[in-house]
């Protein structure tokens, strides 16, 4: 197969992959972010402590994460058909991709949010902040660099899932590699596809790491968290002054 024959196939496959990964990432972030924060808030010692709810949510997340993606696609075929009207194509692939990524991203969010300094939460509560204020002003801003890294990890995982989705007619680079590279013995096309995937993943990882580092440096120089730390430092000092007086 010549390059002029490969180019339109690869161009359409790249677009299909970006389309599937982009939409599924958006849905995963919208669904996984509140789920991950809820896992932290409902845990023991959390602002919304509810051990039963935490265990139920955690168990659902664990079960969803334990399913291999290829099995998840098959299991969700009827659900996918009810939403998209088909089980083949990039639109149909978005459904299992997003559902598989939500619990994956939720666990990453949970880990990121747990790293936030508990003293900052106490400071906001001492100033009269409610749970929503703590989430909006402390948990999300303070964990933002880690959340960016978590999103990058999720995107990379979804690119791999989308390649597997290509085996059942979802389109994308995985479909090209299987249909032409493996079944039709077009080895050159298969290796070009592998190279494209490697370059795309490297660029996404580089961009994600750069954004996370930039946010981390910016957060260390300014922002609400340092002001909260300064406030906490002043409170004991003010108390000492009161005692002396």
């Amino acid at each position: 197969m010549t390059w002029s024959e490969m180019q339109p196939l690869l161009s359409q496959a790249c677009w299909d992959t970006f389309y599937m990964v982009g939409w599924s990432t958006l849905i995963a972030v919208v669904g996984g972010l509140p789920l991950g924060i809820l896992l932290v808030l409902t845990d023991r010692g959390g602002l919304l402590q509810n051990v039963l709810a935490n265990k139920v949510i955690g168990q659902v997340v664990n079960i969803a994460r334990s399913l291999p993606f290829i099995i998840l696609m098959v299991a969700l075929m009827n659900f996918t058909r009810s939403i998209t009207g088909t089980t083949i194509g990039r639109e149909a692939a978005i459904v299992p991709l997003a559902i598989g990524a939500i619990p994956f991203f939720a666990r990453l969010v949970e880990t990121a949010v747990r790293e936030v300094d508990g003293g900052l939460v106490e400071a906001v509560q001492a100033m009269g902040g409610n749970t929503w204020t703590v989430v909006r002003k402390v948990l999300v801003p303070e964990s933002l660099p880690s959340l960016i890294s978590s999103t990058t990890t999720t995107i990379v995982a979804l690119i791999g899932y989308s390649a597997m989705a290509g085996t059942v007619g979802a389109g994308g680079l995985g479909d090209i590699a299987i249909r032409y590279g493996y079944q039709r013995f077009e080895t050159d096309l298969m290796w070009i596809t592998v190279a494209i995937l490697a370059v795309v993943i490297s660029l996404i990882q580089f961009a994600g790491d750069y954004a996370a580092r930039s946010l981390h440096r910016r957060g260390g120089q300014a922002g609400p968290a340092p002001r909260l730390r300064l406030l906490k430092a002043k409170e004991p000092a003010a108390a000492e002054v009161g005692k002396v007086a």
Side-chain angles (χ1 to χ4, degrees):
M1 183 178 288
T2 63
W3 173 248
S4 60
E5 294 173 322
M6 293 181 188
Q7 189 173 8
L9 292 173
L10 292 171
S11 298
Q12 184 61 45
C14 287
W15 168 247
D16 289 343
T17 297
F18 294 151
Y19 182 88
M20 290 186 291
V21 172
W23 277 106
S24 55
T25 299
L26 178 61
I27 297 171
V29 171
V30 172
L33 180 61
L35 189 61
I37 293 174
L38 192 61
L39 283 168
V40 176
L41 295 179
T42 58
D43 200 4
R44 295 183 186 275
L47 299 178
L48 301 175
Q49 179 175 318
N50 189 322
V51 178
L52 178 60
N54 183 268
K55 287 185 176 180
V56 171
I57 297 172
Q59 195 62 32
V60 171
V61 169
N62 289 338
I63 292 173
R65 288 181 62 203
S66 67
L67 292 175
F69 179 69
I70 193 71
I71 295 177
L72 183 65
M73 280 196 303
V74 175
L76 292 175
M77 277 188 174
N78 291 333
F79 180 69
T80 300
R81 185 182 291 109
S82 66
I83 293 178
T84 64
T86 181
T87 58
I88 299 175
R90 61 185 189 183
E91 284 78 13
I94 292 172
V95 177
L97 283 172
I99 292 177
I102 286 174
F104 178 80
F105 184 69
R107 283 300 185 189
L108 295 177
V109 171
E110 180 189 11
T111 302
V113 173
R114 287 190 188 280
E115 295 174 355
V116 176
D117 184 6
L120 300 178
V121 175
E122 295 174 1
V124 172
Q125 289 180 305
M127 290 185 289
N130 56 20
T131 301
W132 170 243
T133 302
V134 171
V135 171
R136 186 166 55 92
K137 295 291 187 180
V138 178
L139 296 183
V140 172
E142 282 291 295
S143 61
L144 193 56
S146 295
L147 291 177
I148 294 295
S149 297
S150 299
T151 304
T152 303
T153 302
T154 303
I155 293 173
V156 171
L158 282 170
I159 291 175
Y161 290 165
S162 70
M164 284 189 283
T167 62
V168 292
L173 291 169
D175 178 57
I176 293 295
I178 293 295
R179 188 150 49 95
Y180 290 91
Y182 177 72
Q183 295 177 348
R184 302 186 185 182
F185 304 102
E186 296 287 350
T187 307
D188 293 342
L189 182 57
M190 184 176 67
W191 283 113
I192 290 173
T193 303
V194 171
I196 292 173
L197 286 171
V199 170
V200 168
I201 289 174
S202 298
L203 290 175
I204 290 173
Q205 190 67 57
F206 173 79
D209 291 344
Y210 178 80
R213 286 195 299 268
S214 299
L215 286 171
H216 184 74
R217 288 195 297 267
R218 187 182 304 173
Q221 296 171 358
R227 289 199 294 270
L228 289 173
R229 294 191 184 97
L230 181 61
L231 178 62
K232 285 187 65 184
K234 286 182 177 179
E235 285 178 352
E240 292 295 330
V241 171
K243 290 180 180 179
V244 173

